Amino acid sequence: MIKANDPKLRSWVNVPEGSDFPIQNLPFGIFSTSNRSERVGIAIGEQILDLVAVAEFGYFDAIRFDKKVFNQPTLNNFIALGKEITTSVRNRVSELLEEKTKALQGQAGAREKCLVKMKDAQLHLPVHIGDYTDFYSSIDHATNMGKMFRDPENALLPNWKHIPVGYHGRASSIVVSGGSFFRPKGQTKAPDANVPSFGPTKSLDFELETAFIIGKSTQMGDSISTEKADDFIFGMVLFNDWSARDIQAWEYVPLGPFLAKNFCSVISAWIVTLDALEPFRVPGYKQEPTVLPYLEYSGEKNIAIHLEVSICPEKKSETIVSRSDYKYMYWTMEQQLAHHTVNGCNMNVGDMLASGTISGPEEGSYGSMMEITWRGTKPVKMSDGSERKFINDNDSVIIRGWAEKDGVRVGFGECSSKVLAAKE
Ligand code: MN
């Protein structure tokens, strides 16, 4: 086990019970305050460790790299240093924050400059995302969609168990948790109408997803094996891939998702490293029929991450509408990456590859309103008595996720966003 993941570690920084950010996590993000420009930080309890300040005090002197990478508005240049450096930085921070280490703890002046209260900080999009790909890798989600829209007896298309199906998304409209966006407008066509009409979507939906951030670039022509894939994955975030189902239904043939998907997607602010998630690896689904050799893998490559979605109408309390888990993925991140690069497609640091909607096998664990309300036929009740088939104006949708084992909870914080009425 990586020492920084030891469940016995405790920090001298207060970590409240149930916090997503104990010393075993140490996720990276970008923050600013009224007197600190955008820079790299690490979440610990309810505080942020300012890595610019930590470097200025010389606490990273034993690790050789240009410390300027911390004083930048994205993590790209830091991540590009490679895991040898980024893992060493996380390990060093673990050492510094460990309760017996006095180096920083014992220096009141330095301590004050290095720690910032999270509530006084603004969190920013942590990476410049060059390219974004979305997969369709949850078997329960793909089966539900197939049952609803095609044939209940043959819900999965013939390619599904052979190819991690995916499409290229759009990076420009990916934003960090905590913001709002306008309900998208577009063309839709009701089944009984002869011609399409134009207007705000009537079926705005969330997609419960996670995504991983590429940590190492490749050249065109290179392929990444499932065995080497983890070297290329820096870490994970929660991801809400907002979708307009009525626009999607009319536009998607024959080239797939377009305007129904590219108006807003939201990620959580902290990138949880693959290092921090290693203790939570679990076996995946048995893959039958056998996959082609370039997709074979060994070992436990799924990860148990409990996922929850809640809807919060304006000025009301939240209602949890889904409890799912990342362990339900059929295709692993390693297989997705091997597949994505098998043709020689190159990857760049900061690229983001998303899971696709993550549904579990049972009702209550579905990752979209489309499935939860079964195409709107079974509305869900909110705690304020109102009902939802899809997401209303002024509703916020909040995704939370955490891995938990041996009394350690490695969480992601929130991935939240609010829907505003369509822009005039
Ligand atoms: Mn999606």
Side-chain angles (χ1 to χ4, degrees):
M1 175 188 291
I2 308 172
K3 197 177 157 218
N5 293 344
D6 188 338
K8 290 197 289 292
L9 293 180
R10 292 291 173 272
S11 179
W12 50 268
V13 177
N14 179 46
V15 177
E17 179 85 29
S19 168
D20 280 342
F21 309 120
I23 191 169
Q24 289 83 359
N25 191 347
L26 306 179
F28 291 87
I30 296 290
F31 77 99
S32 64
T33 67
S34 54
N35 56 5
R36 295 177 205 229
S37 57
E38 291 172 41
R39 60 188 61 201
V40 177
I42 280 184
I44 175 78
E46 291 169 331
Q47 309 206 54
I48 300 171
L49 188 72
D50 179 339
L51 297 198
V52 173
V54 175
E56 276 168 7
F57 283 102
Y59 292 116
F60 291 128
D61 284 358
I63 312 170
R64 288 172 65 92
F65 65 101
D66 185 349
K67 311 300 185 298
K68 284 198 199 85
V69 293
F70 292 139
N71 204 355
Q72 296 182 6
T74 68
L75 282 163
N76 295 60
N77 288 336
F78 170 64
I79 294 172
L81 295 171
K83 281 206 187 182
E84 210 179 305
I85 300 295
T86 58
T87 296
S88 301
V89 166
R90 177 172 173 268
N91 291 344
R92 174 64 177 145
V93 167
S94 168
E95 239 172 59
L96 282 172
L97 296 180
E98 203 274 323
E99 62 185 353
K100 290 187 201 73
T101 311
K102 297 290 174 217
L104 177 57
Q105 185 184 183
Q107 305 291 326
R111 210 172 57 213
E112 216 160 276
K113 289 211 166 68
C114 290
L115 284 168
V116 173
K117 289 194 183 86
M118 215 180 275
K119 66 175 174 54
D120 296 336
Q122 193 184 345
L123 301 177
H124 302 272
L125 195 68
V127 278
H128 170 73
I129 301 165
D131 277 302
Y132 150 54
T133 299
D134 196 18
F135 284 92
Y136 187 58
S137 290
S138 154
I139 191 167
D140 298 297
H141 172 67
T143 303
N144 284 340
M145 296 307 263
K147 278 186 193 166
M148 274 188 267
F149 293 101
R150 284 184 299 272
D151 175 6
E153 300 304 308
N154 295 289
L156 293 178
L157 286 167
N159 63 0
W160 201 88
K161 287 186 167 180
H162 297 278
I163 292 177
V165 171
Y167 73 97
H168 285 121
R170 187 165 178 87
S172 68
S173 51
I174 298 173
V175 294
V176 75
S177 174
S180 56
F181 66 97
F182 297 103
R183 175 176 296 269
K185 294 174 284 194
Q187 279 197 32
T188 58
K189 194 181 88 60
D192 53 355
N194 291 321
V195 289
S197 54
F198 176 81
T201 173
K202 294 189 178 76
S203 43
L204 182 63
D205 201 354
F206 59 79
E207 289 188 337
L208 168 59
E209 304 196 23
T210 62
F212 64 94
I213 307 294
I214 295 295
K216 191 173 169 181
S217 300
T218 61
Q219 301 293 316
M220 280 173 67
D222 291 350
S223 300
I224 300 171
S225 66
T226 56
E227 199 184 334
K228 292 267 165 62
D230 287 348
D231 294 344
F232 293 81
I233 301 171
F234 175 70
M236 293 178 73
V237 291
L238 303 175
F239 184 56
N240 183 352
D241 192 22
W242 283 100
S243 298
R245 301 300 182 191
D246 44 1
I247 297 173
Q248 185 176 359
W250 173 232
E251 76 172 2
Y252 87 105
V253 181
L255 285 187
F258 186 37
L259 303 181
K261 298 279 190 174
N262 68 4
F263 54 91
C264 179
S265 300
V266 186
I267 65 171
S268 50
W270 297 103
I271 304 180
V272 177
T273 62
L274 205 56
D275 287 343
L277 291 166
E278 281 305 331
F280 307 96
R281 294 275 193 186
V282 291
Y285 277 92
K286 183 171 169 48
Q287 296 185 331
E288 269 295 335
T290 317
V291 297
L292 284 167
Y294 80 92
L295 290 169
E296 285 172 358
Y297 70 95
S298 57
E300 299 186 345
K301 289 295 175 192
N302 280 47
I303 306 177
I305 303 171
H306 177 76
L307 300 166
E308 286 186 4
V309 185
S310 66
I311 299 174
C312 189
E314 193 166 40
K315 297 188 181 113
K316 298 279 169 53
S317 53
E318 293 179 23
T319 302
I320 296 176
V321 295
S322 178
R323 290 181 175 83
S324 186
D325 201 297
Y326 185 66
K327 72 181 177 192
Y328 295 131
M329 293 285 284
Y330 187 85
W331 297 103
T332 67
M333 290 186 281
E334 291 77 6
Q335 289 178 310
Q336 290 171 335
L337 194 48
H339 183 64
H340 204 317
T341 59
V342 75
N343 65 343
C345 171
N346 53 323
M347 289 287 145
N348 289 308
V349 167
D351 286 355
M352 198 181 95
L353 279 63
S355 58
T357 306
I358 304 164
S359 294
E362 279 135 28
E363 265 187 68
S365 64
Y366 297 164
S368 66
M369 290 299 274
M370 191 63 131
E371 297 162 90
I372 293 167
T373 70
W374 211 255
R375 288 179 95 169
T377 59
K378 294 190 276 182
V380 284
K381 261 231 147 57
M382 300 287 102
S383 58
D384 68 358
S386 63
E387 286 187 341
R388 292 291 181 284
K389 291 177 180 169
F390 290 97
I391 304 302
N392 291 358
D393 288 347
N394 302 313
D395 283 352
S396 293
V397 170
I398 304 140
I399 300 177
R400 296 187 180 85
W402 62 91
E404 199 158 20
K405 191 180 162 186
D406 300 328
V408 174
R409 169 177 167 135
V410 168
F412 288 79
E414 289 185 354
C415 173
S416 86
S417 44
K418 181 178 176 180
V419 183
L420 305 176
K423 203 169 184 175
E424 287 298 317

